[in-house]
Amino acid sequence: DGLAGYFTKANGQEINFAQMHLCFGAPDTLKSKYFTTEDMQLSFREDDEVEIVTLLMDPRGGVNASSGILPTKFIEIPPSLVRGAMEHMEMNFLVAPIIGDYNSPAIPLAKDSRKKWEWVSQKTAGVWSEPDGEIADRSNKAKNDFKAQQIHEGYLSLKLKKTDEPEEKS
């Protein structure tokens, strides 16, 4: 399911965002002062205080809530509540190392008519380049021309296209 982890609040305390509970079955090697693999134990009695659980999950997926007594329940966020945020989200991805032409790396890219990919790197040490505009998807080009190759590292940025930018033709 789409659950990455969860945070708990119990006995009138504040939610402890300093330590995330990882999903059931997560390897113990991830255990640290920031992550725990200990399962949450819930008890239901009339005099118990409310326990609040904050889920960190993929908004496009759901979570299977299981207990020892009740049937499993699939919980999801209605798409109408997250669609707007997901459509306006911009992200940066570290890409390092990658081999490509001397001037630019060859990177397979997902296509989205409302978004564009930009490449930002350091041409000289400590000086970041401005994006050269949208980069092309070059995943289908064979590299057997023996031109000069270079190792690149930088950030691949997924940005929203401005409304006056033309849409990419396939």
Side-chain angles (χ1 to χ4, degrees), residues 2 43 47 60 64 88 105 160:
S43 61
D47 58 340
R60 298 164 298 172
N64 290 299
H88 291 90
L160 292 171

Side-chain angles (χ1 to χ4, degrees), residues 95-115:
V95 179
I98 189 166
I99 296 176
D101 288 345
Y102 188 74
N103 293 323
S104 67
I107 303 172
L109 302 169
K111 292 188 183 269
D112 186 336
S113 62
R114 298 162 305 203
K115 297 186 179 183

Side-chain angles (χ1 to χ4, degrees), residues 4-15:
Y6 59 93
F7 303 93
T8 60
K9 173 182 178 177
N11 302 327
Q13 299 173 349
E14 292 295 317
I15 295 177

Side-chain angles (χ1 to χ4, degrees), residues 25-164:
D28 285 336
T29 56
L30 298 175
K31 209 173 196 179
S32 71
K33 73 177 196 176
Y34 303 110
F35 301 103
T36 182
T37 56
E38 295 173 14
D39 292 333
M40 176 178 59
Q41 300 296 321
L42 295 175
S43 61
F44 297 98
R45 292 192 314 253
E46 192 174 332
D47 58 340
D48 280 348
E49 289 193 35
V50 174
E51 284 200 44
I52 296 176
V53 179
T54 302
L55 305 178
L56 180 60
M57 61 183 279
D58 182 343
R60 298 164 298 172
V63 174
N64 290 299
S66 300
S67 71
I69 299 172
L70 301 171
T72 299
K73 170 92 171 142
F74 183 72
I75 304 166
E76 64 182 334
I77 301 172
S80 61
L81 296 179
V82 295
R83 186 176 301 120
M86 295 296 286
E87 288 175 354
H88 291 90
M89 194 173 287
E90 295 183 349
M91 292 174 268
N92 294 314
F93 302 94
L94 175 63
V95 179
I98 189 166
I99 296 176
D101 288 345
Y102 188 74
N103 293 323
S104 67
I107 303 172
L109 302 169
K111 292 188 183 269
D112 186 336
S113 62
R114 298 162 305 203
K115 297 186 179 183
K116 62 182 177 179
W117 291 101
E118 295 179 341
W119 177 254
V120 180
S121 62
Q122 291 187 24
K123 302 285 185 197
T124 57
V127 180
W128 288 92
S129 68
E130 289 295 318
D132 298 329
E134 190 169 358
I135 63 173
D137 176 16
R138 300 183 26 198
S139 59
N140 60 352
K141 302 206 176 170
K143 299 307 289 177
N144 61 359
D145 53 11
F146 300 107
K147 289 184 180 177
Q149 299 284 302
Q150 177 175 320
I151 295 176
H152 296 274
E153 60 182 43
Y155 286 90
L156 196 56
S157 296
L158 182 60
K159 303 280 186 178
L160 292 171
K161 284 186 178 180
K162 306 240 185 311
T163 54
D164 58 341

